[in-house]
Amino acid sequence: MTEISPTPSTPQHRGTALRLHRQLARIWGSDPRFRGWLTTSNNNDIGGLFLIVATTFFVIGGVLAMLIRAQLATPNSAFLQPEAYNQIFTMHGTVMMFLFAIPFFEAMSVLLLPGMLGTRDMAFPRLGAYGLWVYIFGGSAVIIAMLMGLAPDGGWFMYPPLSSAAFSPGVGADVWLLGITSIEVSAIATAVEVIVTVLRYRAAGMSLSRMPIFAWYILIVSVMILTAFPPMILGSLLLEVERALDWPFFQVENGGDPLLWQHLFWLFGHPEVYIIFLPAAGMIATILPVMARTTLLGYGWVVAAAVSLAVLSFGLWVHHMFTTGIPHMGLAFFSAASTLVAVPTSVMIFSWIGTLWKGHARMELPLLWIMGFFATFVIGGLTGVMLAVVPFNWQVHDTHFVVAHLHYVLIGGYVFPMIAAIYYFLPLLTGRTRFFKLGEVAFWLVVPAFHITFLAVHMAGLLGQRRRTWTYDAGQGWEALNFVASVASFVMAIGFALVILDVAVNAFVAIRGRRNPWGAGTLEWAAAIPSPAYGFASIPIVKARYPLHNDPDLALRIARGEGYLGDASRNRLETVIVATAQGTPSQVAVLPGNSRLPVLLAVVTSTSFLAPLFGAYALSGIALLGVVTVSLYWAWGLGSRTDEGLVDAGHGVRLPLASESADPPGWWGSLFLLLADGVHFGSLLFGYAFLWTVAPHWPPQSYLQPSLWSVVLALVGAGALTLGPRLAVSQIKQGRAAWPAIGLGVLGAMALAAAAVTIMANRPNPAGHAYDATLWLLAGHVLLHTALTVIMLGYLIARVAAGYASANRIGEARIVALWADFTAATGLVALAAAWLPGGFG
C-alpha cells in the first residue's frame, strides 16, 4: 500500500486528501496485470525495470570478472583457453561500461527526478519506455551472443585492425558494433528526456538556483551524453560499414587510418568516465548534507565545478594515445589538460569535506559507503594524475597499473556512491525501514577486499604485467600479487552479493517505515511513500532550495491539493511546465497514457540494428520502414483538433496547454536531439579532416569536381527548404492555406538531395579509397536528413488537413521548421566539404 500524507488536522481535510488520491491513482495508474509491464510509461515502473535490468547486467559482469581473476590467480593457468579468455575480458568491460554503469544512473534519474523536481512524471514518458526496451533488447542480444560463443574478442575498445574483418571474422565484432550502438540510442533518448524534464518540468517557484544539486549534475551529464556518444556511434558505423562493405576507413593501404577509430572512440570514452562519475558525485552532494544535518557548502561552486569538469573532459581524450606517436606539442597540451581536471574535482571534494565539518555527521550506512568512496576515489585520482605525466604513462601504458586505476575510479568513484544512494532512497522507493543489517557486513567485506585486490594489481602493473594477456610465466614476481588479488576479489564479490541480497530482502520483507526518516529538505520526501504513480497530489509551490526545511507543513498542503493542479476533475494526466530560469508556471502539459507503442517501436528498432548480423539486410530495411510507420502513428495520436484555450491551474492562474504553445516540449526535445545529430555530423567532418591531414596515401589520385548546376541546385534547394516551413508557420498563424509553403519545402529538400546524388554518381566506387567512402558518407548524411524532412513535411500537410493546426497550435509546424533548418545548414556544409577541395569542373 501507498502511505497517504500524515493525517490532516480535520476530517474534512482527510477526506479531501483521500478522495484526491483515489482519483489520481485511477487516472495515472498502470494495468496491474502482467501485460501492464509491456504498456506502462510511468516513471516508477520504467525506472524500477531499468534498475533491475542494470543490476542483472552488473551481476553478469561480476561473474565474468571472477572468471578473469580465476584465470590470472596462478601462472600458466589452464582454467580458460585464450579464445574464451579474450571473449570474457572483452565482455566484462562491455557489460560494465555500456550495460551497467550508464543505465544504472539513468534508472535512478528516471525514478527520482520527478520527485526531486516536484513534478508528476518525466517530460516524455513513452520515450523513456522506448529507451528502456531498446536497452533490454540490445543488451540481451549481446549477452545471448556471448552464451552462444559469438562474443567479440578484441577488447571492449574494439581497436582496428584487430577488429576488422580480416583479423576478426565471424559476427562477434558485429554483435558488439550493432548491439552497443542500439544501446547508445537508448541512452540518447533518455538523455533528451532528462534534459527537458529538468529545464521545464519543475515545481512552481523552483528557479535554477533552487534546484536540487542532483538535478544540476544529471542535467550536465545528459548534455555530455548528447555530445560524447555521437562520435562513438559514428565510429561504430564506420567500422561496421568497413566490415560489411569493405569501405576502407581504417585500411592504411587504401587511404584509411586505424588511429581514426582511437580518436573517435576516446572522444567518447574519456568523457564517459566523467559521465559515470558525475551522477555519483551528485548523489554524494545530495546525501552528505542530510547525513551531516546541514546544507551543502558552496552550492554555486559545486555547480561551477561540475560544469568545468564536463567541459574539460572533452579535451583529454588523447592521453589514452600518448604512445601512438602524438607530436610533442600535443603531448604537452593534453598532459597539462589531464592534470587540470584535478582542480574542479578538488573543489567538489573540499566542498563535501567542508559540509561534514560544519555539520554533525551520523554514521548511517549511506555515509559509511561515502566514506569508502573518499578513501578510494582520492587514490584513483592521484594515479590518474600520475598517468597524465607522459614519461610515466609511457612506462605503464597497457599494463595492469592502468587496469587498477580504472577500477579505483569506477568502483570507488561510482559503485560505492551508488550503493550509498540505494540505501539512502530505499525508504522512499519501498516505503520500508531497513531491518536486516547485512549492509554493514557487506561494506566491511567489499571495501577492504577492493583495496587489497587493486593495490596488488597496481603493483603487478608497476612490475610490468601486461593487460589483455590470458596467462603469464612463473618467475616474474607477479605470482603472489595475482594470487592475493584473486582471493580478495572473490571476497569482494561475496560482499556485493550481500548488498543485493540485503536490498532485496529489506525491499520486500522489512517493516513499514515513516516518511522522510533522514529529515531531508528536498521535495522527493514530501510525496507519499512508496511514491504513487502520480507522484504529487498537487504541484508544490517552493520558495527555497530546501523547501521541507523552509516550510515543514508543505507535504500536508500538497496532499490536500493546495498546490497547482490540485483538481483531478479533467480526468487526464496533467502536470505543470515552468519558465526555464525562474520557475514560474507557464503551461499545462497533458501527458500521453500507457501504450504498447514504445515496446513495438523498440522491437522494430532493434530488428533494424540486429538483422544484419544474420545477413538479413532486407529484413533490416523492412524494420526501418516499420520504425517510420510506428513513429508516425505514435505522433498522430497526440495533439487535438480544437483549441481549448486557457485552463484553470489553481491559485487563480489560467495557463495554456503545451499543445497550444509555440514552444511545446516536443520542440525542446527536438532541439537537444539535433544537438546530438550536429555533434555526429561534426565528428564526421573531424574524421574527414583527420584522414586528409594524417592518413597515408592522401591526397587521392583525383578530386571530385562538381558542376555549376549541382552547386546552384544545392543553394536553391537549401533556400527553399529553409523558407518553406517558415512560411508555413506564418500561414498557419494567419489561418491561411499552408500547403503551398510546405510544398516549397518539399521541393527544396528534393533539390538538395539531388545535389547529393551527383556526388555518388561522380564517385561510384566507395570501396576504392577512404576519400570516396567519406564522400559517400557526406552525401548519405544529406540524403538521410532530406528524406526525414520530406516525411515530416508530408506529415505536417496531413495534420493541417485533419485540423490539428491552428493559430494557437503551431508547435508541430515549428518543430518541422527546426528540422528543416538543420537539414539545410548541415546539407550545405556537407556538400561544401565534398566539393571545395576539387574546385569546379
Side-chain angles (χ1 to χ4, degrees):
M1 289 182 63
T2 294
E3 175 201 317
I4 308 300
S5 294
T7 306
S9 56
T10 68
Q12 179 183 0
H13 288 153
R14 182 165 59 249
T16 300
L18 288 171
R19 183 166 57 252
L20 183 58
H21 164 70
R22 293 188 183 112
Q23 288 176 315
L24 290 170
R26 175 181 54 81
I27 295 169
W28 289 79
S30 303
D31 189 337
R33 294 168 293 181
F34 174 78
R35 68 181 184 184
W37 291 104
L38 299 177
T39 60
T40 184
S41 58
N42 183 264
N43 74 290
N44 292 336
D45 299 332
I46 298 302
L49 280 173
F50 243 129
L51 204 62
I52 292 170
V53 176
T55 303
T56 301
F57 285 129
F58 175 72
V59 172
I60 294 172
V63 171
L64 296 175
M66 293 304 96
L67 294 175
I68 293 170
R69 287 313 321 170
Q71 170 66 17
L72 296 178
T74 57
N76 298 313
S77 172
F79 178 69
L80 293 173
Q81 293 303 307
E83 296 80 8
Y85 181 84
N86 290 339
Q87 288 190 24
I88 287 170
F89 92 76
T90 298
M91 288 302 298
H92 167 67
T94 298
V95 169
M96 289 303 199
M97 297 297 284
F98 294 102
L99 303 186
F100 162 66
I102 291 177
F104 192 89
F105 79 71
E106 287 179 333
M108 296 292 285
S109 302
V110 171
L111 269 173
L112 298 172
L113 265 183
M116 289 181 170
L117 297 173
T119 189
R120 284 174 169 164
D121 207 329
M122 300 292 285
F124 308 115
R126 289 184 179 179
L127 183 63
Y130 166 73
L132 166 69
W133 290 109
V134 170
Y135 161 59
I136 290 175
F137 295 148
S140 299
V142 173
I143 298 301
I144 291 170
M146 178 186 70
L147 296 176
M148 296 174 63
L150 300 176
D153 57 5
W156 70 274
F157 32 79
M158 293 295 288
Y159 284 174
L162 180 60
S163 56
S164 66
F167 298 100
S168 292
V171 299
D174 303 299
V175 168
W176 193 97
L177 293 167
L178 296 172
I180 297 304
T181 300
S182 69
I183 294 166
E184 289 166 341
V185 169
S186 165
I188 287 176
T190 305
V192 169
E193 182 184 31
V194 166
I195 291 172
V196 178
T197 300
V198 173
L199 291 180
R200 302 305 308 274
Y201 288 71
R202 305 197 300 269
M206 183 180 283
S207 61
L208 292 177
S209 62
R210 292 174 180 168
M211 283 202 315
I213 191 66
F214 180 76
W216 272 111
Y217 273 100
I218 206 65
L219 173 64
I220 294 165
V221 165
S222 297
V223 174
M224 291 177 69
I225 288 175
L226 297 186
T227 50
F229 277 46
M232 179 64 201
I233 293 174
L234 174 66
S236 300
L237 171 66
L238 298 184
L239 185 52
E240 180 59 29
V241 169
E242 178 179 292
R243 289 176 56 85
L245 303 177
D246 201 31
W247 293 15
F249 298 108
F250 308 110
Q251 299 172 12
V252 175
E253 64 275 14
N254 291 320
D257 193 333
L259 284 182
L260 174 59
W261 169 269
Q262 291 198 35
H263 281 287
L264 292 174
F265 182 86
W266 291 116
L267 272 168
F268 147 81
H270 198 81
E272 189 197 22
V273 174
Y274 297 93
I275 288 171
I276 291 170
F277 166 66
L278 284 173
M283 287 300 185
I284 295 169
T286 299
I287 298 167
L288 206 61
V290 179
M291 295 292 107
R293 291 172 282 192
T294 185
T295 57
L296 180 66
L297 179 66
Y299 174 95
W301 285 98
V302 171
V303 172
V307 173
S308 301
L309 192 59
V311 173
L312 287 172
S313 72
F314 286 90
L316 311 180
W317 81 94
V318 174
H319 86 205
H320 294 273
M321 303 169 61
F322 279 169
T323 61
T324 60
I326 302 296
H328 286 175
M329 181 63 74
L331 291 176
F333 173 83
F334 286 102
S335 177
S338 299
T339 58
L340 188 60
V341 296
V343 176
T345 307
S346 299
V347 171
M348 296 183 205
I349 296 290
F350 283 112
S351 165
W352 300 333
I353 294 173
T355 301
L356 285 173
W357 184 268
K358 77 168 186 172
H360 302 280
R362 46 185 171 177
M363 195 56 70
E364 302 281 357
L365 186 56
L367 186 56
L368 199 61
W369 281 101
I370 291 176
M371 292 298 102
F373 155 82
F374 279 119
T376 308
F377 184 74
V378 171
I379 296 175
L382 291 174
T383 57
V385 173
M386 293 168 66
L387 287 168
V389 179
V390 175
F392 181 80
N393 185 289
W394 285 347
Q395 298 302 314
V396 299
H397 183 75
D398 270 352
T399 70
H400 275 251
F401 186 93
V402 179
V403 174
H405 160 71
L406 179 68
H407 285 80
Y408 258 87
V409 172
L410 294 183
I411 295 181
Y414 178 74
V415 177
F416 290 177
M418 282 300 176
I419 293 174
I422 289 293
Y423 278 116
Y424 176 76
F425 287 110
L426 196 62
L428 178 68
L429 300 177
T430 66
R432 298 179 184 273
T433 297
R434 225 169 44 94
F435 178 77
F436 303 96
K437 303 298 183 180
L438 290 175
E440 286 79 2
V441 176
F443 173 84
W444 290 110
L445 286 175
V446 168
V447 175
F450 171 85
H451 284 278
I452 294 171
T453 298
F454 289 104
L455 283 174
V457 174
H458 269 118
M459 292 303 299
L462 287 174
L463 292 175
Q465 184 176 0
R466 312 300 295 177
R467 63 194 299 194
R468 309 171 193 144
T469 52
W470 74 287
T471 190
Y472 55 93
D473 293 328
Q476 301 188 70
W478 308 335
E479 298 93 331
L481 291 170
N482 277 290
F483 184 77
V484 168
S486 294
V487 172
S489 70
F490 277 88
V491 175
M492 179 172 56
I494 293 170
F496 281 129
L498 286 179
V499 170
I500 296 172
L501 178 63
D502 187 47
V503 170
V505 169
N506 282 293
F508 294 104
V509 179
I511 59 175
R512 292 287 176 182
R514 61 185 176 88
R515 182 201 305 273
N516 197 5
W518 309 114
T522 44
L523 276 178
E524 69 271 19
W525 297 100
I529 59 170
S531 179
Y534 57 83
F536 294 96
S538 58
I539 303 301
I541 302 171
V542 303
K543 300 177 182 178
R545 190 174 295 155
Y546 298 97
L548 298 188
H549 290 165
N550 179 69
D551 183 1
D553 294 329
L554 181 60
L556 297 175
R557 291 200 300 276
I558 293 171
R560 293 198 295 254
E562 295 177 14
Y564 285 96
L565 299 180
D567 179 7
S569 59
R570 286 191 288 265
N571 201 35
R572 58 192 182 189
L573 288 69
E574 293 182 338
T575 192
V576 167
I577 295 177
V578 300
T580 303
Q582 297 302 318
T584 54
S586 61
Q587 302 170 19
V588 172
V590 179
L591 301 178
N594 299 319
S595 171
R596 293 186 180 90
L597 290 175
V599 69
L600 178 59
L601 184 60
V603 168
V604 291
T605 301
S606 300
T607 302
S608 69
F609 276 101
L610 301 176
L613 293 175
F614 309 99
Y617 295 103
L619 177 60
S620 180
I622 293 171
L624 282 175
L625 291 177
V627 169
V628 174
T629 302
V630 176
S631 299
L632 291 175
Y633 183 78
W634 178 334
W636 191 266
L638 307 176
S640 171
R641 286 188 170 93
T642 59
D643 289 339
E644 189 170 337
L646 301 179
V647 298
D648 181 16
H651 293 270
V653 175
R654 298 182 66 81
L655 299 173
L657 295 178
S659 59
E660 296 177 17
S661 304
D663 61 337
W667 185 89
W668 286 83
S670 294
L671 182 67
F672 288 103
L673 185 58
L674 288 175
L675 169 64
D677 198 349
V679 174
H680 184 273
F681 177 63
S683 302
L684 175 56
L685 295 179
F686 166 81
Y688 185 36
F690 175 83
L691 292 176
W692 195 282
T693 56
V694 175
H697 304 296
W698 281 70
Q701 292 183 352
S702 64
Y703 293 111
L704 172 69
Q705 293 184 327
S707 61
L708 183 60
W709 75 267
S710 297
V711 177
V712 172
L713 192 65
L715 291 173
V716 172
L721 180 56
T722 302
L723 181 62
R726 291 175 178 269
L727 286 176
V729 172
S730 177
Q731 297 294 85
I732 293 171
K733 282 184 178 179
Q734 299 173 31
R736 299 177 180 175
W739 67 264
I742 299 174
L744 176 64
V746 172
L747 292 176
M750 294 174 66
L752 194 61
V757 169
T758 63
I759 294 177
M760 297 178 171
N762 288 329
R763 309 293 291 203
N765 182 24
H769 192 275
Y771 171 70
D772 301 291
T774 307
L775 291 183
W776 272 64
L777 279 185
L778 290 169
H781 171 89
V782 178
L783 290 174
L784 173 63
H785 286 79
T786 51
L788 287 174
T789 306
V790 167
I791 291 171
M792 290 182 176
L793 290 167
Y795 170 81
L796 183 58
I797 290 177
R799 294 288 278 187
V800 171
Y804 282 96
S806 70
N808 291 328
R809 289 174 280 119
I810 60 168
E812 291 182 348
R814 292 191 70 236
I815 291 170
V816 174
L818 188 66
W819 281 85
D821 289 345
F822 179 86
T823 298
T826 59
L828 285 180
V829 172
L831 295 176
W835 287 337
L836 287 177
F840 296 98

